[in-house]
């Protein structure tokens, strides 16, 4: 899995090392951090682009993110695509949650799913919420899910 900074710079160390160094650096600079993880996707012809982001939010001082992008040609309906997004976010959250516990950093998993039943993505809401909560993570959906609906969204559009 290749992770990049927003600038496009490729991270050559493991994402775990990169996040740990960022936590240490930001904490030493006096910031309280929260990590938000989200995934968004965009269908472009026969290809679906996925972007997963790890957003480190500095309380009252903005934030920065790491991005992983991948593509698939597997055809899937909207509900399946939403649940693949959630799965990618959970895998990422699971890979760094022990580190965040060590440094006492809060973690949220954001799903790009609308809580309004008028939207197609809402079909996946109950499953996504159950999946995320059953893994022990804090769940946010739209409009609070900025990691997926704003940050990751920018990477696939």
């Amino acid at each position: 899995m290749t992770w990049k900074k927003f600038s496009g710079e490729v991270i050559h160390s493991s994402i775990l090392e990169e996040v740990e160094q960022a936590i240490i650096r930001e904490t030493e600079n006096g910031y309280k951090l929260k990590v938000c993880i989200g995934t968004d996707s965009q269908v472009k012809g026969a290809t679906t682009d996925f972007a997963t982001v790890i957003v480190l939010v500095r309380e009252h001082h903005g934030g920065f993110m790491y991005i992983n992008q991948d593509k698939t040609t597997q055809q899937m309906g909207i509900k399946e695509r939403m649940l693949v997004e959630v799965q990618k976010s959970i895998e990422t959250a699971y890979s760094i949650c022990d580190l965040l516990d060590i440094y006492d950093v809060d973690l949220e998993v954001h799903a790009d799913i609308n809580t309004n039943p008028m939207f197609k993505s809402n079909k996946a809401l109950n499953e996504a919420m159950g999946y995320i909560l059953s893994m022990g993570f804090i769940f946010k959906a739209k409009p609070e899910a900025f990691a997926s609906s704003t940050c990751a969204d920018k990477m696939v559009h």
Side-chain angles (χ1 to χ4, degrees):
M1 221 186 230
T2 304
W3 287 89
K4 296 178 180 178
K5 294 181 180 178
F6 187 62
S7 64
E9 180 190 338
V10 174
I11 294 163
H12 296 289
S13 59
S14 77
I15 191 62
L16 207 57
E17 287 174 48
E18 182 70 26
V19 170
E20 183 170 30
Q21 289 168 359
I23 290 170
I24 292 167
R25 179 186 70 236
E26 297 297 324
T27 305
E28 284 175 353
N29 287 332
Y31 296 114
K32 176 160 175 43
L33 294 174
K34 174 170 74 172
V35 171
C36 303
I37 295 173
T39 303
D40 196 13
S41 60
Q42 177 74 31
V43 179
K44 296 175 180 167
T47 305
T48 304
D49 291 349
F50 288 93
T52 301
V53 296
I54 301 171
V55 183
L56 280 81
V57 181
R58 298 181 198 106
E59 194 171 62
H60 309 299
H61 286 89
F64 55 97
M65 67 179 173
Y66 301 104
I67 304 129
N68 171 262
Q69 292 181 273
D70 64 351
K71 298 175 186 291
T72 183
T73 53
Q74 180 186 337
Q75 296 300 301
M76 54 186 98
I78 181 108
K79 186 173 180 179
E80 184 183 0
R81 189 162 54 95
M82 298 292 115
L83 292 174
V84 169
E85 290 177 8
V86 169
Q87 181 182 0
K88 288 177 180 293
S89 295
I90 286 176
E91 285 171 3
T92 301
Y94 195 72
S95 72
I96 67 167
C97 64
D98 289 347
L99 174 72
L100 300 180
D101 285 348
I102 291 168
Y103 290 98
D104 196 27
V105 174
D106 290 339
L107 171 65
E108 294 177 359
V109 176
H110 292 191
D112 189 37
I113 295 174
N114 209 302
T115 51
N116 183 334
M118 298 279 294
F119 292 85
K120 287 182 189 167
S121 67
N122 183 263
K123 291 185 181 113
L125 181 66
N126 289 341
E127 288 94 330
M129 189 163 57
Y131 190 5
I132 293 167
L133 294 174
S134 70
M135 293 296 289
F137 298 124
I138 294 168
F139 168 80
K140 298 282 184 190
K142 283 181 176 177
E144 298 175 325
F146 65 84
S148 56
S149 57
T150 304
C151 300
D153 177 79
K154 296 254 182 299
M155 307 315 300
V156 290
H157 283 93

